[in-house]
Amino acid sequence: MRRFAYCKVVLTTSLVWVLVDVFLLLYFSECNKCDDRKDRSLLPALRGESTLSKQA
C-alpha cells in the first residue's frame, strides 16, 4: 500500500512540474501570430536593454 502512495506522490509532482514547464514555455515563447508582437523573452533583460525606451 505504501508503494502505491509513493507512486501517486511521484506522479503528482511530475505532473505539476510538466505543467509549470509548459506554462513557462508558452509565456516566454515568441508570438508569431500577433500583429503587435511583444518581446516577452528574457533576452533583452539579460542584455540590459530597457523596454520602457521602446514604448516611447
Side-chain angles (χ1 to χ4, degrees), residues 2-16:
R2 290 181 86 154
R3 287 185 184 179
F4 183 67
Y6 289 138
C7 184
K8 283 182 13 180
V9 169
V10 169
L11 288 175
T12 303
T13 54
S14 298
L15 180 64
V16 168

Side-chain angles (χ1 to χ4, degrees), residues 44-55:
L46 294 175
R47 284 191 215 144
E49 297 176 7
S50 173
T51 57
L52 295 176
S53 62
K54 291 181 181 179
Q55 294 175 356

Side-chain angles (χ1 to χ4, degrees), residues 9-52:
V9 169
V10 169
L11 288 175
T12 303
T13 54
S14 298
L15 180 64
V16 168
W17 281 114
V18 165
L19 291 175
V20 168
D21 291 338
V22 167
F23 172 77
L24 289 174
L25 284 172
L26 290 175
Y27 183 77
F28 288 114
S29 67
E30 292 185 21
C31 180
N32 293 327
K33 297 179 183 177
C34 300
D35 288 334
D36 89 74
R37 297 168 72 177
K38 296 179 182 177
D39 192 13
R40 292 186 295 183
S41 68
L42 291 175
L43 193 56
L46 294 175
R47 284 191 215 144
E49 297 176 7
S50 173
T51 57
L52 295 176

